[in-house]
Amino acid sequence: MQIKETNGRHTVLASQYLQLDADPDRGGGTDQTEQVQAILDKAVEWGSLTLIMDGMALVHGLRIHSNTTIRCRDRRCGFYLADYSDCSLLQSAQPDYYTIRQENITLLGGTYHFNCEHQNRVCPPSDPYDPESVRQAMLQANMGFKFIGVRNLTIDGVRTVDQKIYAIFIVNFEHVRIENTAVDLPHNYYAQNQDGIHFWGPGHDVVIRDVRGGSGDDFLAFTPDEHDCQSSITDVLVDGVYMEDADQGVRMLSRGPGRLDRVTVRNVYGTFKGCGFFLNPWFGVGCGDSKGNYGRITIENVDLRTKPEKYGEYCHPVLFRIGGEMESLTLRHIACHDPEYPFPIVEACRQYGTWKTPASHTHIAQLTVDGLSVYNRKGTAEPMDYVRIDAPVDQLIIRNVTADRTGNAAPDTVLHLDEAARVGICRLEPTVTEGIGQDVAAHPQAQVERWIR
């Protein structure tokens, strides 16, 4: 097939070369992988490429080069992954975990259907605690998008559908923008790690704005050294997230010395089933013995509503679970509205995952909860702890707390200090409450060096 420019310099209109007979929701049609790949390879020959998709193509996996833009005319245009392709629909042509080999890749609009019901999961790593085993397994993993070693990546106005594992997987990156993007998951299975958007380091400068969707595990995950115990991720802005029954919301995992720093997440709303925010190393005692390395993290304006528990026998639900070695965490304007079941809103503890695992390292230098609003007139009748501390915290500030359980009174506690709580300075400003129990409850072994009220 001889490919020529059809709509301007280095631009190809898909319908001039492809049979665009796949259905955006059901697939089918004529496999066009070889033809599409031949077009994408023109980026190497021409120096750049813009592919305009004016229909839906059936493919069994594509590789994208530097200086490539794929523009879809509307949501019924794009790509559908053929049955049992068992690979990524779209991935970087030169994946590299530590050297950036590709740049200037842009996806604009359209639908990318990953067809999870008709794909097989890949084999897990032979040793989940061996970095090289994990990296090799991930090179073969059935992600939807897989970008490994990329600079200047833009994903805007895209809709992904039915990821088998992760919808979007980005590793070793600089300057990533994801905006106005939907991660639809109509087939959400049990314990299948169907993440939404997942980052591994090394990397810096990520901006995510106005994304929505569901996940069978983490909707957003920033896990810099999950694979190698050394990489870092810095300079992250997330602004505008709508979760649709996500199993878990936002995970921030620093496993060892790899640092997660200068992170801001704001304007998060929607529904979740298990955990709203996971901020701990996960690989604790007996699972890698990690301590983590968190810098300065700010999370603000969160209003997530609970859905029925999905993994209740594994780990109790929580809005914020915090652990590991952490420099500064600020939580502002957090809302809890008529929860279906009792759970801690903010929990700093030594249990990284399930309560069946041994207690691991947690030390937080500064923890600030500024603006916590609990409205529970029709939700659970059982008591709740709003902030639960079961680990060392050098400076703890809790202020601007309001709680209203009118007509649904219960002995809620604003601050619960558990057995391992070791607080240097605790500042608890006056609260405005109705129908709850007390401001502070403390285990006999909990310690606070100085109170400021």
Side-chain angles (χ1 to χ4, degrees), residues 49-66:
L49 169 72
T50 297
L51 171 59
I52 301 174
M53 293 298 299
D54 51 342
M56 179 69 63
L58 181 72
V59 296
H60 59 260
L62 301 168
R63 293 181 179 269
I64 189 168
H65 304 279
S66 294

Side-chain angles (χ1 to χ4, degrees), residues 297-354:
I297 297 171
T298 299
I299 301 171
E300 58 189 5
N301 195 21
V302 175
D303 190 346
L304 287 171
R305 309 292 171 91
T306 56
K307 298 291 286 189
E309 298 177 55
K310 188 172 182 179
Y311 302 108
E313 76 286 355
Y314 177 76
C315 178
H316 66 253
V318 60
L319 187 56
F320 290 91
R321 171 164 280 189
I322 307 161
E325 187 70 27
M326 188 171 296
E327 179 180 298
S328 174
L329 175 63
T330 300
L331 308 178
R332 293 194 186 101
H333 307 306
I334 311 301
C336 178
H337 187 278
D338 284 333
E340 294 189 12
Y341 40 80
F343 60 87
I345 298 174
V346 178
E347 181 181 57
C349 69
R350 298 166 297 147
Q351 251 68 40
Y352 291 167
T354 171

Side-chain angles (χ1 to χ4, degrees), residues 248-408:
Q248 296 169 178
V250 178
R251 180 184 294 275
M252 300 184 194
L253 187 162
S254 170
R255 180 173 178 173
R259 190 166 176 82
L260 185 62
D261 196 7
R262 300 194 297 272
V263 178
T264 298
V265 178
R266 60 189 181 219
N267 301 324
V268 181
Y269 55 107
T271 53
F272 74 100
K273 298 174 185 175
C275 182
F277 290 79
F278 246 123
L279 291 80
N280 67 40
W282 184 256
F283 298 91
V285 173
C287 298
D289 301 331
S290 301
K291 293 184 177 181
N293 183 8
Y294 294 87
R296 185 166 296 275
I297 297 171
T298 299
I299 301 171
E300 58 189 5
N301 195 21
V302 175
D303 190 346
L304 287 171
R305 309 292 171 91
T306 56
K307 298 291 286 189
E309 298 177 55
K310 188 172 182 179
Y311 302 108
E313 76 286 355
Y314 177 76
C315 178
H316 66 253
V318 60
L319 187 56
F320 290 91
R321 171 164 280 189
I322 307 161
E325 187 70 27
M326 188 171 296
E327 179 180 298
S328 174
L329 175 63
T330 300
L331 308 178
R332 293 194 186 101
H333 307 306
I334 311 301
C336 178
H337 187 278
D338 284 333
E340 294 189 12
Y341 40 80
F343 60 87
I345 298 174
V346 178
E347 181 181 57
C349 69
R350 298 166 297 147
Q351 251 68 40
Y352 291 167
T354 171
W355 49 71
K356 298 177 183 178
T357 59
S360 297
H361 174 85
T362 291
H363 174 217
I364 302 169
Q366 297 176 334
L367 174 58
T368 300
V369 181
D370 184 1
L372 176 60
S373 173
V374 181
Y375 184 93
N376 185 11
R377 293 184 175 185
K378 298 180 180 179
T380 179
E382 299 180 60
M384 294 174 53
D385 294 330
Y386 301 163
V387 178
R388 180 184 292 171
I389 305 295
D390 191 29
V393 179
D394 296 343
Q395 296 180 359
L396 174 63
I397 299 174
I398 302 173
R399 59 191 177 210
N400 299 321
V401 176
T402 61
D404 184 353
R405 293 199 64 153
T406 303
N408 189 25

